[in-house]
Amino acid sequence: MNRKTLALGSVALLVVALAIAAIWYVTHPAQTAQVQNASKTVTQSTLAAGAKAPEFEASTTAGLFDLAKTTKPVFLEVFATWCPHCQRETQVLNKLFAQYGKQIAFVAVSGSDTGMDGSSPASQADVLAFAQKFAVAYPIAYDGQMTVFDLYNQGGYPTIVIIDKKKTITYAASGEIAYADLTAQIQRVLK
Amino acid sequence: MGLLLLAAGALKIGHAPALAAAIAGYHLLPAAVVAPLSISLPFVEVFLGLYLTVGLFVRFVGWVAAAQFGLYALAIASAVIRHIPANCGCFGPDDVATADWPHVALDLLLGALCAFVAWRAPGALALDGKLKKA
């Protein structure tokens, strides 16, 4: 086999692999919708660490959460049920909730207009299905108006914000954040 | 270098939504580009890795890989400069490392190594050399 044949064969192989991937996604609309949703760039809130946390309320699976009325530091997550990072982050948040749930008020609020399958509209039922599927132990809420998302999102899913007792933001970031990093931020706010 | 690219690509295959979210997190490309890129990039990395590993078309593949690492370094640096908390997305969905200066340095180093491999190609064990002799 000469170099020219190998080169042509290589290009053909790459094209076939890409074609198979493209066909697979086209024939799996749920996956395609997930990819399209994940590809959207989210406009970032101007809030950052050091800023006063804006007031919000959320009707969670553990009752009404009102930032103004809570006396504990707050761990807020803004998530999307279709977002793979958010789905995996549930395990990290469950672990943190088990460890710090008595000292910190945890609240996770939905922040997307799209449901878990990536194509249907977001809903209360979709958020509850997400909680059940990923065994979410912490309070979780559906926010149809996306008010909390508009106030707090940091440019991606999930957005995680930690607020101290004085209602000042001590940490705000987006993306899949490791357990150790979040533990360090929680320890700071508990000091 | 080849094995590194091979692993990076293989770990991303089948996780297009996670890769799309990671790429979109850099706020550099429109969604219309991010979606196809998230599907095709893992395969391109696997192929580049495969050819570097067996030593086939090393000169061409080495320069392509060097350019790729250079682009990664630029993207990560832009995220750091703009204070965007982007996920690196380097080694698939389980890689939760944040885009930071050490990653920029690492990508520049890997890019330089790929360029060196391309410049010195073919190596003693490369298939390219054996094909030339044949």
Side-chain angles (χ1 to χ4, degrees):
Chain A
M1 199 182 286
N2 62 25
R3 282 175 63 85
K4 197 177 171 186
T5 315
L6 270 172
L8 286 173
S10 303
V11 173
L13 207 60
L14 180 61
V15 169
V16 167
L18 292 175
I20 289 171
I23 290 167
W24 191 87
Y25 276 96
V26 168
T27 54
H28 292 74
Q31 278 279 340
T32 309
Q34 270 198 342
V35 173
Q36 283 167 349
N37 271 319
S39 301
K40 289 177 194 160
T41 304
V42 179
T43 312
Q44 193 171 337
S45 146
T46 52
L47 283 178
K52 193 82 183 158
E55 162 63 6
F56 71 92
E57 284 183 5
S59 184
T60 78
T61 45
L64 182 71
F65 174 88
D66 185 345
L67 180 66
K69 288 183 183 161
T70 185
T71 54
K72 296 177 184 174
V74 174
F75 185 105
L76 166 68
E77 184 205 30
V78 183
F79 69 96
T81 55
W82 52 262
C83 155
H85 296 296
C86 308
Q87 292 171 359
R88 279 193 300 274
E89 195 75 1
T90 54
Q91 303 312 307
V92 173
L93 263 64
N94 272 345
K95 211 169 152 186
L96 289 170
F97 181 66
Q99 200 171 347
Y100 298 105
K102 286 181 182 159
Q103 299 151 275
I104 288 186
F106 280 76
V107 58
V109 184
S110 68
S112 171
D113 54 7
T114 307
M116 208 177 348
D117 61 5
S119 54
S120 61
S123 65
Q124 177 84 41
D126 180 67
V127 168
L128 293 176
F130 172 85
Q132 195 171 18
K133 185 174 180 184
F134 297 99
V136 171
Y138 45 89
I140 190 169
Y142 166 62
D143 178 9
Q145 302 299 315
M146 290 175 53
T147 313
V148 180
F149 169 83
D150 289 338
L151 287 171
Y152 284 96
N153 93 79
Q154 293 295 303
Y157 298 110
T159 279
I160 289 173
V161 178
I162 299 177
I163 303 165
D164 69 11
K165 282 182 186 173
K166 293 176 185 165
K167 316 296 180 207
T168 301
I169 295 171
T170 60
Y171 177 75
S174 76
E176 214 170 315
I177 303 165
Y179 171 78
D181 295 337
L182 291 175
T183 303
Q185 295 300 330
I186 286 175
Q187 295 286 2
R188 269 184 58 204
V189 86
L190 286 177
K191 274 182 188 169
Chain B
M1 291 305 304
L3 290 175
L4 192 78
L5 272 167
L6 202 57
L11 287 167
K12 289 177 193 134
I13 289 177
H15 301 289
L19 183 58
I23 298 171
Y26 285 89
H27 296 209
L28 285 172
L29 299 169
V33 176
V34 173
L37 190 64
S38 66
I39 295 167
S40 57
L41 187 65
F43 291 97
V44 173
E45 284 186 345
V46 164
F47 271 77
L48 290 176
L50 206 60
Y51 286 121
L52 275 181
T53 304
V54 299
L56 196 57
F57 312 120
V58 176
R59 199 171 294 274
F60 173 74
V61 171
W63 285 120
V64 172
Q68 189 184 333
F69 280 120
L71 287 174
Y72 289 172
L74 279 177
I76 295 172
S78 81
V80 180
I81 289 166
R82 290 176 293 150
H83 301 289
I84 294 174
N87 270 6
C88 168
C90 310
F91 287 96
D94 291 329
D95 180 10
V96 294
T98 308
D100 51 16
W101 287 119
H103 277 89
V104 175
L106 181 66
D107 277 331
L108 286 176
L109 176 71
L110 293 172
L113 284 173
C114 283
F116 178 76
V117 167
W119 176 51
R120 301 290 294 174
L125 299 171
L127 218 60
D128 277 338
K130 292 184 172 60
L131 281 172
K132 260 185 189 171
K133 284 176 196 163

